[in-house]
Amino acid sequence: GENVEQHPSTLSVQEGDSAVIKCTYSDSASNYFPWYKQELGKRPQLIIDIRSNVGEKKDQRIAVTLNKTAKHFSLHITETQPEDSAVYFCAASPTGNQFYFGTGTSLTVIP
Amino acid sequence: GAVVSQHPSWVICKSGTSVKIECRSLDFQATTMFWYRQFPKQSLMLMATSNEGSKATYEQGVEKDKFLINHASLTLSTLTVTSAHPEDSSFYICSARQGGETQYFGPGTRLLVL
């Protein structure tokens, strides 16, 4: 099956700085890559996603890049704010009926 | 829109009993529902995928006789943990998908087996 690795596991940044989280996947058939934000005690929320036919997608302060050849994709958050503090998960889907999650990154934005 | 609920949110039970968790899509019809298990400070582990009216597809290593999944309608899927044991204690979270790729998560159910 698909194996998704995520780094780093923890990340602290100063408010206003950028944060980058990286994921790799193993199944070349994966073609959909969503990113989720999970605040403590709350459900995961989709923040951005990218499909395999696109190399980059941006939504305000959040962007995701995908390198299918290297099988890795990254989440970029610019101008970080304290409310960005949460656990972020990447995921890969090879069939649309299965989603495999990374191990999560706990992001802390220091005011 | 796209609200998913789970019931109960918390359950404590004795070892050997069975526990049923419900996952409902409140404002859309979910063609597919997913069940995940999340350990503290760890990732979501996909347990099974269920489509309405058909048998669930279980991930490798997940006992289908232990974790019974029923997707009886387009708005309801249930996960029954049979003969629960302390090692089954975990956070169980479902998600539902209407037809596209986006899945919407429920708030999760915390199970503690004594």
Side-chain angles (χ1 to χ4, degrees):
Chain A
E2 175 65 276
N3 180 41
V4 179
E5 294 188 356
Q6 185 171 343
H7 299 280
S9 56
T10 59
L11 178 61
S12 292
V13 299
Q14 289 291 135
E15 183 178 357
D17 288 350
S18 295
V20 180
I21 302 170
K22 299 182 180 182
C23 288
T24 61
Y25 61 99
S26 62
D27 191 344
S28 56
S30 288
N31 54 19
Y32 176 63
F33 308 91
W35 285 88
Y36 293 87
K37 176 182 179 182
Q38 186 177 29
E39 296 178 47
L40 189 63
K42 296 188 177 181
R43 71 190 79 189
Q45 298 272 11
L46 178 71
I47 55 172
I48 196 167
D49 57 11
I50 190 167
R51 290 169 178 79
S52 59
N53 58 345
V54 176
E56 184 174 357
K57 184 176 178 181
K58 189 173 181 180
D59 182 5
Q60 299 182 336
R61 297 187 296 110
I62 296 172
V64 58
T65 58
L66 170 65
N67 183 328
K68 282 215 71 176
T69 304
K71 296 199 193 75
H72 67 70
F73 55 114
S74 301
L75 177 72
H76 304 252
I77 306 174
T78 59
E79 300 172 33
T80 54
Q81 301 167 1
E83 50 265 38
D84 293 331
S85 297
V87 178
Y88 291 81
F89 293 100
C90 64
S93 179
T95 65
N97 279 331
Q98 293 166 303
F99 290 80
Y100 299 96
F101 282 74
T103 48
T105 297
S106 178
L107 172 65
T108 301
V109 179
I110 304 167
Chain B
V3 178
V4 177
S5 71
Q6 262 181 262
H7 178 79
S9 56
W10 256 107
V11 57
I12 301 173
C13 68
K14 291 183 179 179
S15 185
T17 60
S18 294
V19 175
K20 181 186 279 189
I21 302 169
E22 294 185 348
C23 177
R24 292 182 184 273
S25 56
L26 299 184
D27 53 0
F28 67 100
Q29 292 185 323
T31 52
T32 306
M33 286 186 169
F34 305 88
W35 286 97
Y36 296 87
R37 187 172 177 178
Q38 187 175 32
F39 292 101
K41 298 185 179 180
Q42 292 190 28
S43 188
L44 294 99
M45 183 193 79
L46 180 65
M47 298 175 66
T49 303
S50 73
N51 294 295
E52 184 264 340
S54 60
K55 289 184 179 180
T57 302
Y58 289 82
E59 291 298 299
Q60 193 172 10
V62 178
E63 300 176 58
K64 59 182 180 182
D65 294 330
K66 173 77 173 176
F67 299 99
L68 300 178
I69 291 171
N70 183 21
H71 193 161
S73 75
L74 284 171
T75 59
L76 174 64
S77 176
T78 60
L79 167 68
T80 301
V81 183
T82 62
S83 187
H85 291 284
E87 59 265 30
D88 297 325
S89 299
S90 191
F91 188 62
Y92 293 88
I93 190 165
C94 72
S95 70
R97 193 179 65 188
Q98 188 170 15
E101 290 160 320
T102 302
Q103 53 179 324
Y104 301 93
F105 284 88
T109 296
R110 199 163 298 280
L111 170 64
L112 177 60
V113 184
L114 302 176

